[in-house]
mmCIF file of all heavy atoms in Angstrom:
data_model
loop_
_atom_site.group_PDB
_atom_site.id
_atom_site.type_symbol
_atom_site.label_atom_id
_atom_site.label_comp_id
_atom_site.label_asym_id
_atom_site.label_seq_id
_atom_site.Cartn_x
_atom_site.Cartn_y
_atom_site.Cartn_z
ATOM 1 N N CYS V 113 -10.074 65.640 -14.669
ATOM 2 C CA CYS V 113 -9.080 64.673 -14.196
ATOM 3 C C CYS V 113 -9.814 63.442 -13.673
ATOM 4 O O CYS V 113 -10.776 63.557 -12.927
ATOM 5 C CB CYS V 113 -8.207 65.277 -13.095
ATOM 6 S SG CYS V 113 -7.321 66.756 -13.606
ATOM 7 N N SER V 114 -9.321 62.281 -14.037
ATOM 8 C CA SER V 114 -10.062 61.038 -13.843
ATOM 9 C C SER V 114 -9.669 60.291 -12.579
ATOM 10 O O SER V 114 -8.498 60.303 -12.176
ATOM 11 C CB SER V 114 -9.810 60.110 -15.031
ATOM 12 O OG SER V 114 -10.230 60.707 -16.239
ATOM 13 N N CYS V 115 -10.646 59.604 -11.999
ATOM 14 C CA CYS V 115 -10.336 58.579 -11.013
ATOM 15 C C CYS V 115 -9.533 57.487 -11.712
ATOM 16 O O CYS V 115 -10.006 56.904 -12.696
ATOM 17 C CB CYS V 115 -11.616 57.997 -10.439
ATOM 18 S SG CYS V 115 -11.360 56.443 -9.537
ATOM 19 N N PRO V 116 -8.332 57.172 -11.234
ATOM 20 C CA PRO V 116 -7.481 56.218 -11.949
ATOM 21 C C PRO V 116 -7.934 54.775 -11.846
ATOM 22 O O PRO V 116 -7.406 53.913 -12.551
ATOM 23 C CB PRO V 116 -6.116 56.414 -11.289
ATOM 24 C CG PRO V 116 -6.419 56.912 -9.921
ATOM 25 C CD PRO V 116 -7.648 57.764 -10.069
ATOM 26 N N ALA V 117 -8.908 54.498 -10.973
ATOM 27 C CA ALA V 117 -9.369 53.124 -10.803
ATOM 28 C C ALA V 117 -10.642 52.831 -11.588
ATOM 29 O O ALA V 117 -11.123 51.692 -11.573
ATOM 30 C CB ALA V 117 -9.605 52.829 -9.318
ATOM 31 N N ASP V 118 -11.194 53.824 -12.265
ATOM 32 C CA ASP V 118 -12.456 53.637 -12.970
ATOM 33 C C ASP V 118 -12.233 52.782 -14.219
ATOM 34 O O ASP V 118 -11.395 53.103 -15.063
ATOM 35 C CB ASP V 118 -13.033 55.003 -13.355
ATOM 36 C CG ASP V 118 -14.493 54.917 -13.776
ATOM 37 O OD1 ASP V 118 -14.803 54.134 -14.692
ATOM 38 O OD2 ASP V 118 -15.312 55.654 -13.207
ATOM 39 N N SER V 119 -12.993 51.717 -14.354
ATOM 40 C CA SER V 119 -12.806 50.807 -15.487
ATOM 41 C C SER V 119 -13.112 51.480 -16.816
ATOM 42 O O SER V 119 -12.525 51.130 -17.854
ATOM 43 C CB SER V 119 -13.680 49.566 -15.313
ATOM 44 O OG SER V 119 -15.053 49.916 -15.252
ATOM 45 N N ALA V 120 -14.013 52.468 -16.811
ATOM 46 C CA ALA V 120 -14.313 53.185 -18.054
ATOM 47 C C ALA V 120 -13.104 53.998 -18.507
ATOM 48 O O ALA V 120 -12.837 54.116 -19.709
ATOM 49 C CB ALA V 120 -15.529 54.085 -17.864
ATOM 50 N N LEU V 121 -12.380 54.575 -17.562
ATOM 51 C CA LEU V 121 -11.134 55.274 -17.922
ATOM 52 C C LEU V 121 -10.144 54.300 -18.542
ATOM 53 O O LEU V 121 -9.518 54.610 -19.567
ATOM 54 C CB LEU V 121 -10.514 55.926 -16.687
ATOM 55 C CG LEU V 121 -9.057 56.396 -16.899
ATOM 56 C CD1 LEU V 121 -8.996 57.610 -17.805
ATOM 57 C CD2 LEU V 121 -8.354 56.657 -15.570
ATOM 58 N N LEU V 122 -9.954 53.142 -17.952
ATOM 59 C CA LEU V 122 -8.970 52.188 -18.458
ATOM 60 C C LEU V 122 -9.318 51.743 -19.874
ATOM 61 O O LEU V 122 -8.430 51.597 -20.725
ATOM 62 C CB LEU V 122 -8.874 50.996 -17.516
ATOM 63 C CG LEU V 122 -8.405 51.322 -16.090
ATOM 64 C CD1 LEU V 122 -8.449 50.071 -15.225
ATOM 65 C CD2 LEU V 122 -7.017 51.940 -16.087
ATOM 66 N N ASP V 123 -10.602 51.554 -20.145
ATOM 67 C CA ASP V 123 -11.027 51.212 -21.501
ATOM 68 C C ASP V 123 -10.703 52.341 -22.469
ATOM 69 O O ASP V 123 -10.216 52.111 -23.587
ATOM 70 C CB ASP V 123 -12.530 50.913 -21.494
ATOM 71 C CG ASP V 123 -13.046 50.551 -22.869
ATOM 72 O OD1 ASP V 123 -12.674 49.474 -23.385
ATOM 73 O OD2 ASP V 123 -13.810 51.349 -23.455
ATOM 74 N N TYR V 124 -10.957 53.566 -22.044
ATOM 75 C CA TYR V 124 -10.646 54.743 -22.870
ATOM 76 C C TYR V 124 -9.141 54.862 -23.115
ATOM 77 O O TYR V 124 -8.706 55.156 -24.237
ATOM 78 C CB TYR V 124 -11.177 55.990 -22.168
ATOM 79 C CG TYR V 124 -10.691 57.301 -22.731
ATOM 80 C CD1 TYR V 124 -11.301 57.876 -23.845
ATOM 81 C CD2 TYR V 124 -9.635 57.987 -22.130
ATOM 82 C CE1 TYR V 124 -10.858 59.098 -24.342
ATOM 83 C CE2 TYR V 124 -9.191 59.199 -22.623
ATOM 84 C CZ TYR V 124 -9.798 59.757 -23.738
ATOM 85 O OH TYR V 124 -9.363 60.955 -24.237
ATOM 86 N N LEU V 125 -8.332 54.638 -22.079
ATOM 87 C CA LEU V 125 -6.884 54.754 -22.236
ATOM 88 C C LEU V 125 -6.343 53.705 -23.203
ATOM 89 O O LEU V 125 -5.413 53.987 -23.968
ATOM 90 C CB LEU V 125 -6.192 54.637 -20.884
ATOM 91 C CG LEU V 125 -6.387 55.816 -19.930
ATOM 92 C CD1 LEU V 125 -5.665 55.545 -18.611
ATOM 93 C CD2 LEU V 125 -5.892 57.126 -20.547
ATOM 94 N N GLN V 126 -6.908 52.527 -23.173
ATOM 95 C CA GLN V 126 -6.489 51.517 -24.142
ATOM 96 C C GLN V 126 -6.729 52.031 -25.560
ATOM 97 O O GLN V 126 -5.869 51.902 -26.443
ATOM 98 C CB GLN V 126 -7.249 50.222 -23.902
ATOM 99 C CG GLN V 126 -6.816 49.082 -24.819
ATOM 100 C CD GLN V 126 -7.570 47.804 -24.522
ATOM 101 O OE1 GLN V 126 -8.790 47.824 -24.362
ATOM 102 N NE2 GLN V 126 -6.863 46.700 -24.436
ATOM 103 N N PHE V 127 -7.890 52.631 -25.794
ATOM 104 C CA PHE V 127 -8.206 53.190 -27.105
ATOM 105 C C PHE V 127 -7.254 54.335 -27.452
ATOM 106 O O PHE V 127 -6.696 54.389 -28.548
ATOM 107 C CB PHE V 127 -9.661 53.674 -27.113
ATOM 108 C CG PHE V 127 -10.089 54.321 -28.396
ATOM 109 C CD1 PHE V 127 -10.515 53.548 -29.459
ATOM 110 C CD2 PHE V 127 -10.078 55.696 -28.531
ATOM 111 C CE1 PHE V 127 -10.920 54.144 -30.654
ATOM 112 C CE2 PHE V 127 -10.475 56.308 -29.713
ATOM 113 C CZ PHE V 127 -10.904 55.524 -30.777
ATOM 114 N N LYS V 128 -7.079 55.264 -26.509
ATOM 115 C CA LYS V 128 -6.237 56.445 -26.775
ATOM 116 C C LYS V 128 -4.812 56.049 -27.089
ATOM 117 O O LYS V 128 -4.211 56.527 -28.064
ATOM 118 C CB LYS V 128 -6.271 57.394 -25.566
ATOM 119 C CG LYS V 128 -5.358 58.609 -25.723
ATOM 120 C CD LYS V 128 -5.491 59.584 -24.564
ATOM 121 C CE LYS V 128 -4.631 60.820 -24.820
ATOM 122 N NZ LYS V 128 -4.833 61.865 -23.782
ATOM 123 N N TYR V 129 -4.230 55.192 -26.274
ATOM 124 C CA TYR V 129 -2.837 54.812 -26.484
ATOM 125 C C TYR V 129 -2.674 54.056 -27.802
ATOM 126 O O TYR V 129 -1.646 54.193 -28.481
ATOM 127 C CB TYR V 129 -2.337 53.976 -25.310
ATOM 128 C CG TYR V 129 -1.824 54.784 -24.135
ATOM 129 C CD1 TYR V 129 -2.629 55.711 -23.478
ATOM 130 C CD2 TYR V 129 -0.526 54.615 -23.661
ATOM 131 C CE1 TYR V 129 -2.162 56.437 -22.392
ATOM 132 C CE2 TYR V 129 -0.047 55.332 -22.573
ATOM 133 C CZ TYR V 129 -0.874 56.250 -21.948
ATOM 134 O OH TYR V 129 -0.393 56.972 -20.879
ATOM 135 N N MET V 130 -3.670 53.268 -28.199
ATOM 136 C CA MET V 130 -3.572 52.563 -29.477
ATOM 137 C C MET V 130 -3.686 53.519 -30.654
ATOM 138 O O MET V 130 -3.005 53.342 -31.670
ATOM 139 C CB MET V 130 -4.625 51.467 -29.561
ATOM 140 C CG MET V 130 -4.359 50.300 -28.622
ATOM 141 S SD MET V 130 -5.525 48.920 -28.787
ATOM 142 C CE MET V 130 -4.893 48.142 -30.260
ATOM 143 N N VAL V 131 -4.533 54.550 -30.527
ATOM 144 C CA VAL V 131 -4.628 55.554 -31.598
ATOM 145 C C VAL V 131 -3.259 56.157 -31.886
ATOM 146 O O VAL V 131 -2.822 56.245 -33.041
ATOM 147 C CB VAL V 131 -5.645 56.652 -31.223
ATOM 148 C CG1 VAL V 131 -5.474 57.879 -32.109
ATOM 149 C CG2 VAL V 131 -7.066 56.139 -31.332
ATOM 150 N N PHE V 132 -2.558 56.560 -30.848
ATOM 151 C CA PHE V 132 -1.265 57.202 -31.056
ATOM 152 C C PHE V 132 -0.154 56.175 -31.282
ATOM 153 O O PHE V 132 0.850 56.483 -31.928
ATOM 154 C CB PHE V 132 -0.954 58.143 -29.898
ATOM 155 C CG PHE V 132 -1.870 59.340 -29.878
ATOM 156 C CD1 PHE V 132 -2.846 59.486 -28.909
ATOM 157 C CD2 PHE V 132 -1.775 60.306 -30.860
ATOM 158 C CE1 PHE V 132 -3.712 60.567 -28.908
ATOM 159 C CE2 PHE V 132 -2.630 61.404 -30.885
ATOM 160 C CZ PHE V 132 -3.607 61.525 -29.900
ATOM 161 N N GLY V 133 -0.330 54.955 -30.777
ATOM 162 C CA GLY V 133 0.627 53.902 -31.099
ATOM 163 C C GLY V 133 0.664 53.611 -32.585
ATOM 164 O O GLY V 133 1.725 53.323 -33.162
ATOM 165 N N ARG V 134 -0.494 53.699 -33.246
ATOM 166 C CA ARG V 134 -0.553 53.446 -34.687
ATOM 167 C C ARG V 134 0.159 54.521 -35.497
ATOM 168 O O ARG V 134 0.398 54.335 -36.698
ATOM 169 C CB ARG V 134 -2.008 53.322 -35.132
ATOM 170 C CG ARG V 134 -2.716 52.088 -34.582
ATOM 171 C CD ARG V 134 -4.087 51.895 -35.221
ATOM 172 N NE ARG V 134 -4.789 50.793 -34.588
ATOM 173 C CZ ARG V 134 -5.741 50.930 -33.674
ATOM 174 N NH1 ARG V 134 -6.106 52.153 -33.277
ATOM 175 N NH2 ARG V 134 -6.336 49.870 -33.157
ATOM 176 N N CYS V 135 0.523 55.618 -34.866
ATOM 177 C CA CYS V 135 1.290 56.655 -35.557
ATOM 178 C C CYS V 135 2.739 56.226 -35.808
ATOM 179 O O CYS V 135 3.451 56.872 -36.575
ATOM 180 C CB CYS V 135 1.274 57.951 -34.754
ATOM 181 S SG CYS V 135 -0.379 58.670 -34.547
ATOM 182 N N GLN V 136 3.176 55.172 -35.110
ATOM 183 C CA GLN V 136 4.477 54.546 -35.348
ATOM 184 C C GLN V 136 5.663 55.486 -35.112
ATOM 185 O O GLN V 136 6.598 55.565 -35.912
ATOM 186 C CB GLN V 136 4.544 53.960 -36.760
ATOM 187 C CG GLN V 136 3.528 52.861 -37.025
ATOM 188 C CD GLN V 136 3.723 51.643 -36.116
ATOM 189 O OE1 GLN V 136 4.814 51.111 -36.019
ATOM 190 N NE2 GLN V 136 2.650 51.224 -35.451
ATOM 191 N N ALA V 137 5.610 56.195 -33.981
ATOM 192 C CA ALA V 137 6.784 56.969 -33.567
ATOM 193 C C ALA V 137 7.885 56.022 -33.111
ATOM 194 O O ALA V 137 7.638 54.861 -32.771
ATOM 195 C CB ALA V 137 6.406 57.917 -32.431
ATOM 196 N N ASP V 138 9.118 56.516 -33.096
ATOM 197 C CA ASP V 138 10.233 55.706 -32.610
ATOM 198 C C ASP V 138 10.172 55.542 -31.096
ATOM 199 O O ASP V 138 10.576 54.502 -30.561
ATOM 200 C CB ASP V 138 11.575 56.358 -32.975
ATOM 201 C CG ASP V 138 11.902 56.248 -34.447
ATOM 202 O OD1 ASP V 138 10.992 55.946 -35.246
ATOM 203 O OD2 ASP V 138 13.075 56.468 -34.811
ATOM 204 N N ARG V 139 9.695 56.591 -30.419
ATOM 205 C CA ARG V 139 9.682 56.587 -28.967
ATOM 206 C C ARG V 139 8.372 57.215 -28.488
ATOM 207 O O ARG V 139 7.799 58.076 -29.156
ATOM 208 C CB ARG V 139 10.869 57.378 -28.397
ATOM 209 C CG ARG V 139 12.220 56.926 -28.914
ATOM 210 C CD ARG V 139 13.330 57.872 -28.507
ATOM 211 N NE ARG V 139 13.739 57.684 -27.124
ATOM 212 C CZ ARG V 139 14.603 58.459 -26.503
ATOM 213 N NH1 ARG V 139 15.146 59.494 -27.116
ATOM 214 N NH2 ARG V 139 14.949 58.209 -25.254
#
Side-chain angles (χ1 to χ4, degrees):
C113 301
S114 300
C115 165
D118 194 305
S119 60
L121 167 71
L122 298 176
D123 180 68
Y124 168 83
L125 290 179
Q126 183 178 46
F127 178 84
K128 177 176 184 174
Y129 275 58
M130 290 184 78
V131 164
F132 292 109
R134 293 189 186 101
C135 297
Q136 298 298 308
D138 287 16
R139 306 171 78 186

